[in-house]
């Protein structure tokens, strides 16, 4: 079974440029998460989708970050314009929505460097 | 909201020695607890989890953790570590809403 797929794995851009990250969750997983992981820190949730609905985007900096999951499968996270402080690893995870806490499965992440 | 504190940012240990990675959580409601492992340039992988039932949970590669409600802890232990256990370990807590909070991580380095 394929895991969570993310692309690109690495991205280097100059500040003020736009950037986009793509995630394809595990087949059948209707919940999708985007996390931000700064160096030496644990992941922090940016947004959570259940199917195509964003059910928790309270931590997403909406002035420059946006996300979409139009068909309830794969998802795109965008930053426009990027700032130096956005340099981090962006992780995508997926799980099956259920009554009890379900295990989240993580992709390898996209490592962003903003120069 | 719940939160997690991992008390040690780095734990160096010699091969075949025992190890304990400490994790304390804070929550006003019942929680689920997790340990994830992250190898270099890889995503997080679930190591073990406590949802309910027995407070001692075990992984397939020899790690175990015990949920201690009175001490609000979920420490991770292994009686004898291998070089291949070198990685970053994250403790995480979640209430019954998929809102998972991670600790800052503990870097375990196993030396020969």
């Amino acid at each position: 079974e394929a895991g969570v797929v993310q692309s690109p794995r690495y991205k280097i851009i100059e500040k003020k440029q736009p950037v986009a990250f793509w995630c394809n969750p595990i087949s059948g997983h209707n919940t999708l998460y985007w996390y931000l992981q700064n160096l030496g820190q644990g992941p922090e949730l940016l947004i959570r989708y259940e199917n195509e609905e964003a059910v928790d985007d309270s931590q997403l900096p909406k002035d420059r970050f946006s996300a979409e999951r139009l068909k309830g499968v794969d998802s795109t996270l965008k930053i426009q314009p990027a700032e130096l402080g956005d340099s981090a690893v962006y992780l995508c995870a997926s799980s099956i929505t259920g009554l009890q806490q379900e295990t989240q499965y993580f992709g390898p992440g996209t490592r962003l460097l903003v120069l | 909201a719940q939160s997690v504190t991992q008390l040690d940012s780095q734990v160096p240990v010699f091969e075949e020695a025992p190890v304990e990675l400490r994790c304390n959580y804070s929550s006003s409601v019942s929680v689920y607890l997790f340990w994830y492992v992250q190898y270099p340039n890889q995503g997080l992988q679930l190591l073990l989890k406590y949802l309910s039932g027995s407070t001692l949970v075990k992984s397939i590669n020899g790690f175990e953790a015990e949920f201690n409600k009175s001490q609000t802890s979920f420490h991770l232990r292994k009686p004898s570590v291998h070089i291949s256990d070198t990685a970053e370990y994250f403790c995480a807590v979640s209430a019954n809403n998929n809102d998972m909070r991670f600790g800052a991580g503990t870097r375990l380095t196993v030396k020969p």
Side-chain angles (χ1 to χ4, degrees), chain A residues 13-14 24-25 27 37-38 43 48 55 108 112:
Chain A
I13 61 172
E14 294 187 346
N24 191 35
S27 178
Q37 186 178 19
N38 286 306
R48 174 167 63 94
V55 296
L112 174 68

mmCIF file of all heavy atoms in Angstrom, chain A residues 13-14 24-25 27 37-38 43 48 55 108 112:
data_model
loop_
_atom_site.group_PDB
_atom_site.id
_atom_site.type_symbol
_atom_site.label_atom_id
_atom_site.label_comp_id
_atom_site.label_asym_id
_atom_site.label_seq_id
_atom_site.Cartn_x
_atom_site.Cartn_y
_atom_site.Cartn_z
ATOM 1 N N ILE A 13 13.598 28.916 -2.730
ATOM 2 C CA ILE A 13 13.053 30.076 -3.429
ATOM 3 C C ILE A 13 13.588 31.348 -2.789
ATOM 4 O O ILE A 13 14.118 31.328 -1.667
ATOM 5 C CB ILE A 13 11.510 30.100 -3.397
ATOM 6 C CG1 ILE A 13 11.008 30.177 -1.943
ATOM 7 C CG2 ILE A 13 10.928 28.899 -4.115
ATOM 8 C CD1 ILE A 13 9.518 30.407 -1.832
ATOM 9 N N GLU A 14 13.423 32.441 -3.492
ATOM 10 C CA GLU A 14 13.773 33.737 -2.921
ATOM 11 C C GLU A 14 12.547 34.326 -2.232
ATOM 12 O O GLU A 14 11.407 34.039 -2.612
ATOM 13 C CB GLU A 14 14.278 34.674 -4.013
ATOM 14 C CG GLU A 14 15.593 34.211 -4.629
ATOM 15 C CD GLU A 14 16.177 35.212 -5.595
ATOM 16 O OE1 GLU A 14 15.445 36.140 -5.991
ATOM 17 O OE2 GLU A 14 17.351 35.058 -5.977
ATOM 18 N N ASN A 24 -0.699 13.808 -1.660
ATOM 19 C CA ASN A 24 -1.686 12.786 -1.998
ATOM 20 C C ASN A 24 -1.774 11.814 -0.822
ATOM 21 O O ASN A 24 -0.797 11.127 -0.512
ATOM 22 C CB ASN A 24 -1.302 12.047 -3.269
ATOM 23 C CG ASN A 24 -2.434 11.180 -3.793
ATOM 24 O OD1 ASN A 24 -3.601 11.543 -3.688
ATOM 25 N ND2 ASN A 24 -2.107 10.043 -4.351
ATOM 26 N N PRO A 25 -2.908 11.765 -0.136
ATOM 27 C CA PRO A 25 -3.022 10.922 1.060
ATOM 28 C C PRO A 25 -3.155 9.447 0.707
ATOM 29 O O PRO A 25 -3.270 9.082 -0.455
ATOM 30 C CB PRO A 25 -4.305 11.434 1.713
ATOM 31 C CG PRO A 25 -5.141 11.877 0.545
ATOM 32 C CD PRO A 25 -4.161 12.455 -0.450
ATOM 33 N N SER A 27 -4.930 6.082 0.093
ATOM 34 C CA SER A 27 -6.239 5.819 -0.490
ATOM 35 C C SER A 27 -7.251 5.430 0.587
ATOM 36 O O SER A 27 -6.980 4.575 1.433
ATOM 37 C CB SER A 27 -6.118 4.687 -1.513
ATOM 38 O OG SER A 27 -7.385 4.374 -2.066
ATOM 39 N N GLN A 37 6.799 22.084 10.522
ATOM 40 C CA GLN A 37 7.798 21.634 11.484
ATOM 41 C C GLN A 37 9.047 22.505 11.356
ATOM 42 O O GLN A 37 9.792 22.405 10.385
ATOM 43 C CB GLN A 37 8.156 20.158 11.281
ATOM 44 C CG GLN A 37 9.096 19.633 12.356
ATOM 45 C CD GLN A 37 9.436 18.158 12.203
ATOM 46 O OE1 GLN A 37 9.279 17.574 11.130
ATOM 47 N NE2 GLN A 37 9.886 17.537 13.279
ATOM 48 N N ASN A 38 9.248 23.358 12.352
ATOM 49 C CA ASN A 38 10.463 24.155 12.401
ATOM 50 C C ASN A 38 11.612 23.313 12.940
ATOM 51 O O ASN A 38 11.408 22.322 13.642
ATOM 52 C CB ASN A 38 10.253 25.380 13.278
ATOM 53 C CG ASN A 38 9.402 26.437 12.594
ATOM 54 O OD1 ASN A 38 9.719 26.863 11.490
ATOM 55 N ND2 ASN A 38 8.327 26.845 13.231
ATOM 56 N N PRO A 43 5.913 18.926 15.053
ATOM 57 C CA PRO A 43 4.973 19.457 14.060
ATOM 58 C C PRO A 43 3.865 20.278 14.719
ATOM 59 O O PRO A 43 3.406 19.954 15.808
ATOM 60 C CB PRO A 43 4.392 18.190 13.422
ATOM 61 C CG PRO A 43 5.371 17.111 13.717
ATOM 62 C CD PRO A 43 5.958 17.453 15.050
ATOM 63 N N ARG A 48 -6.672 21.195 8.912
ATOM 64 C CA ARG A 48 -7.184 19.818 8.850
ATOM 65 C C ARG A 48 -8.438 19.791 7.979
ATOM 66 O O ARG A 48 -9.330 20.619 8.147
ATOM 67 C CB ARG A 48 -7.508 19.301 10.246
ATOM 68 C CG ARG A 48 -8.173 17.925 10.259
ATOM 69 C CD ARG A 48 -8.165 17.343 11.675
ATOM 70 N NE ARG A 48 -8.936 18.129 12.625
ATOM 71 C CZ ARG A 48 -10.204 17.901 12.933
ATOM 72 N NH1 ARG A 48 -10.859 16.933 12.343
ATOM 73 N NH2 ARG A 48 -10.812 18.648 13.832
ATOM 74 N N VAL A 55 -11.982 21.754 8.383
ATOM 75 C CA VAL A 55 -12.690 21.771 9.667
ATOM 76 C C VAL A 55 -11.897 22.462 10.771
ATOM 77 O O VAL A 55 -12.441 22.771 11.822
ATOM 78 C CB VAL A 55 -13.077 20.350 10.107
ATOM 79 C CG1 VAL A 55 -14.067 19.742 9.113
ATOM 80 C CG2 VAL A 55 -11.851 19.468 10.222
ATOM 81 N N PRO A 108 6.820 12.211 3.755
ATOM 82 C CA PRO A 108 8.224 12.532 4.050
ATOM 83 C C PRO A 108 8.468 14.022 4.241
ATOM 84 O O PRO A 108 9.520 14.413 4.740
ATOM 85 C CB PRO A 108 8.961 12.016 2.825
ATOM 86 C CG PRO A 108 7.950 12.088 1.733
ATOM 87 C CD PRO A 108 6.637 11.780 2.371
ATOM 88 N N LEU A 112 11.451 23.426 2.811
ATOM 89 C CA LEU A 112 11.478 24.722 2.127
ATOM 90 C C LEU A 112 12.579 25.593 2.693
ATOM 91 O O LEU A 112 12.704 25.746 3.909
ATOM 92 C CB LEU A 112 10.132 25.433 2.296
ATOM 93 C CG LEU A 112 10.063 26.868 1.762
ATOM 94 C CD1 LEU A 112 10.173 26.876 0.238
ATOM 95 C CD2 LEU A 112 8.777 27.551 2.204
#
